């Protein structure tokens, strides 16, 4: 695992962008993307660059269950706002929050199988989750409907007007699919992530800390700011 410590998320976004640019000079065609506050600086770098993503495929990690693509709290909406409306991709995939839970997981896994991910961008939850794979998730998991933990619901509350509006469920790509990416760039910013990233990088590999499975992946780059890295 390569560990890079940067001053802040802006510098972290620039670093991640450099890695993606480097990948695109070679064989990178499929990007696995995340939402939330962590990748915003990266997406800004991408939108302000002169790079063309028109030959690339993007596959997102997750979507809130029950939210439509045009709901401004959905991850569809977020990706459109932050990246896709400014930098068109050849094709983009995000789980459909309104789709049937009997069919959506298999549909999404088929998409992942047909578009092997070259570089997967990840953030991490304060509880160590990657994607919405909460503590206790099997490392063999594939796409499914997940129940969000109280700690995730509490963190996500900051983006909603009322606590009761925060979705309790989501569709998430599984840990097995995340691990299938050829390269993983994990970005971690802010002091509130310090405990989680210490356990992820230095603790035992355990389903209690889903991110710890990344220790088993052969090609992970971790970009942390100084606040997040303070216990490392
Ligand atoms: C988002 C995702 C989550 C977030 C994590 C950190 O698509 O899969 O794992 O990366 O919850 O969220 P932020 O970046 O908002 O701190």
């Amino acid at each position: 695992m390569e560990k890079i410590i940067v001053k802040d998320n802006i510098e972290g976004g620039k670093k991640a962008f450099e890695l993606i640019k480097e990948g695109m000079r070679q064989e990178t065609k499929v990007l696995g993307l995340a939402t939330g506050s962590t990748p915003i600086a990266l997406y800004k770098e991408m939108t302000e660059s002169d790079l063309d993503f028109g030959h690339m495929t993007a596959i997102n990690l997750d979507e809130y269950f029950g939210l439509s693509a045009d709901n401004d709290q959905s991850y569809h909406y977020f990706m459109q706002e932050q990246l896709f409306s400014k930098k068109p991709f050849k094709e983009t995939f995000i789980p459909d929050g309104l789709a049937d839970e009997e069919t959506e997981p298999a549909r999404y896994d088929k998409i992942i199988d047909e578009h092997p991910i070259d570089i997967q961008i990840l953030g991490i939850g304060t509880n160590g989750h990657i994607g919405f794979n909460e503590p206790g998730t099997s490392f063999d998991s594939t796409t499914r409907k997940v129940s969000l933990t109280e700690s995730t619901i509490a963190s996500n509350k900051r983006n909603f007007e009322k606590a009761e509006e925060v979705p309790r469920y989501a569709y998430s790509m599984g840990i097995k699919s995340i691990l299938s990416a050829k390269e993983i760039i994990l970005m971690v910013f802010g002091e509130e992530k310090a405990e989680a990233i210490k356990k992820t990088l230095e603790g035992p590999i355990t389903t209690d800390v889903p991110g710890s499975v990344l220790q088993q992946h052969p090609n992970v780059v971790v970009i942390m700011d100084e606040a997040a890295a303070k216990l490392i």
Side-chain angles (χ1 to χ4, degrees), residues 174-187:
I175 291 181
K176 190 174 167 195
S177 312
I178 292 175
L179 292 178
S180 73
K182 292 193 193 95
E183 180 179 355
I184 294 177
I185 301 175
L186 169 63
M187 293 193 281

Side-chain angles (χ1 to χ4, degrees), residues 33-40 60-63 75 121-127 129-133 152 155-156 158-159 172 178 186-187 189 192-193:
L33 298 178
T35 54
S37 54
T38 304
I40 288 179
N60 266 75
L61 286 166
D62 38 25
E63 176 59 287
Y75 286 164
I121 300 298
L122 289 182
I124 195 161
T126 51
N127 64 1
H129 73 211
I130 49 175
F132 274 141
N133 295 292
T152 298
S155 302
N156 293 352
R158 66 189 195 277
N159 301 315
S172 180
I178 292 175
L186 169 63
M187 293 193 281
F189 306 128
E192 69 281 8
K193 303 279 176 74

